[in-house]
């Protein structure tokens, strides 16, 4: 994944627990990189090792780290670095969700080697939608849940997220029922 992912994780950990915790996490993960370059691609495995080590060092389940990271990604990383891109995707939660399937096509203009997730919206109503999430990567469902929470906060909208089908439980891909007030 692009370096901006590891960099964002570093920023989140340093903001919450300080630089010493991040150095310990890198050491545990066997990552000997001083500075992550946003536009360079790094092996996926490195990001996963960092999350596992962060869970150990911070004494939290990996799923909690990923959820927190999803919220941080929307409210800090994307907002600080790519506000225009976010604004262009929609000014309300329902609008943003309906444009989400094409969102990473724009991101890929900045990061040409992007291997993005695939989102699809079905059964849209005025107050709900089913969001389908497909990826070749494993274990990122809690990250998506955190991203959705971050979006709900961004738009100051109450959102209920129900994981209706899960790849971990044998489904082909994850399906979330999203309902807003
Ligand atoms: C300006 C905002 C955003 C940027 C710049 C961005 C960029 C990226 C980048 C660089 C990756 C790593 C993939 C790779 O390097 O191959 C990624 C992954 C991912 N993004 Fe985004 N993204 C943004 C917003 C969003 C939003 C709004 C969502 C959904 C609500 C989202 C969902 C994901 C997910 C789930 C992954 C993990 C990869 C996977 O599932 O396979 N992103 N994104």
């Amino acid at each position: 994944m692009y370096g901006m992912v590891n960099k964002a994780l570093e920023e989140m950990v340093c903001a919450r627990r300080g630089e010493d915790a991040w150095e310990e996490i890198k050491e545990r993960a066997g990552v000997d990189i001083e500075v992550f370059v946003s536009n360079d691609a790094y092996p996926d495995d490195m990001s996963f090792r960092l999350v596992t080590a962060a869970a150990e060092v911070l004494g939290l389940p990996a799923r909690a780290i990923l959820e927190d990271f999803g919220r941080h990604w929307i409210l800090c990383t994307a907002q600080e670095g790519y506000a225009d891109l976010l604004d262009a995707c929609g000014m309300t939660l329902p609008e943003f969700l309906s444009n989400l399937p094409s969102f990473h096509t724009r991101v890929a203009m900045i990061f040409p080697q992007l291997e993005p997730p695939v989102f699809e919206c079905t059964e849209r109503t005025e107050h709900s939608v089913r969001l389908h999430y497909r990826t070749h990567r494993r274990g990122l469902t809690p990250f998506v849940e955190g991203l959705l929470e971050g979006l709900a906060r961004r738009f100051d909208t109450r959102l209920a997220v129900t994981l209706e089908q899960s790849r971990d439980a044998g489904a082909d891909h994850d399906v979330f029922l999203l309902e807003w007030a």
Side-chain angles (χ1 to χ4, degrees):
M1 288 197 263
Y2 272 101
M4 72 166 289
V5 174
N6 299 333
K7 223 179 156 74
L9 186 65
E10 173 178 356
E11 277 160 17
M12 183 183 90
V13 170
C14 289
R16 307 248 198 292
R17 301 290 186 102
E19 282 179 26
D20 288 352
W22 179 247
E23 288 305 320
E24 195 183 336
I25 288 165
K26 277 202 299 185
E27 200 177 315
R28 248 183 210 245
V31 173
D32 186 18
I33 290 175
E34 205 45 55
V35 178
F36 288 106
V37 179
S38 288
N39 292 10
D40 280 2
Y42 295 84
D44 279 8
D45 177 53
M46 190 180 280
S47 308
F48 284 102
R49 288 204 318 268
L50 285 168
V51 170
T52 305
E56 287 165 9
V57 171
L58 304 182
L60 292 165
R63 95 169 327 273
I65 305 275
L66 284 168
E67 276 177 25
D68 200 13
F69 188 42
R71 287 188 289 268
H72 178 85
W73 185 265
I74 297 296
L75 298 169
C76 302
T77 316
Q79 178 55 33
E80 281 159 19
Y82 305 89
D84 291 350
L85 212 59
L86 285 182
D87 285 348
C89 192
M91 297 312 272
T92 65
L93 182 66
E95 192 192 350
F96 194 99
L97 291 172
S98 63
N99 290 325
L100 187 57
S102 58
F103 186 83
H104 285 87
T105 313
R106 291 184 192 210
V107 177
M109 289 179 193
I110 311 169
F111 300 104
Q113 290 170 56
L114 193 76
E115 291 174 34
V118 175
F119 290 106
E120 184 190 358
C121 292
T122 61
E123 293 136 279
R124 220 176 308 221
T125 73
E126 204 187 327
H127 292 288
S128 70
V129 71
R130 280 199 166 74
L131 183 70
H132 300 249
Y133 162 56
R134 294 179 172 86
T135 173
H136 64 85
R137 302 181 173 100
R138 300 293 314 209
L140 293 178
T141 307
F143 177 55
V144 176
E145 288 166 339
L147 288 163
L148 292 168
E149 249 186 75
L151 286 174
R153 276 200 214 172
R154 173 179 171 80
F155 295 110
D156 200 13
T157 302
R158 280 235 307 270
L159 177 71
V161 177
T162 311
L163 182 60
E164 288 191 326
Q165 286 178 40
S166 152
R167 216 164 131 212
D168 286 347
D172 169 69
H173 62 276
D174 289 347
V175 182
F176 300 93
L177 173 64
L178 307 183
E179 298 166 290
W180 52 89

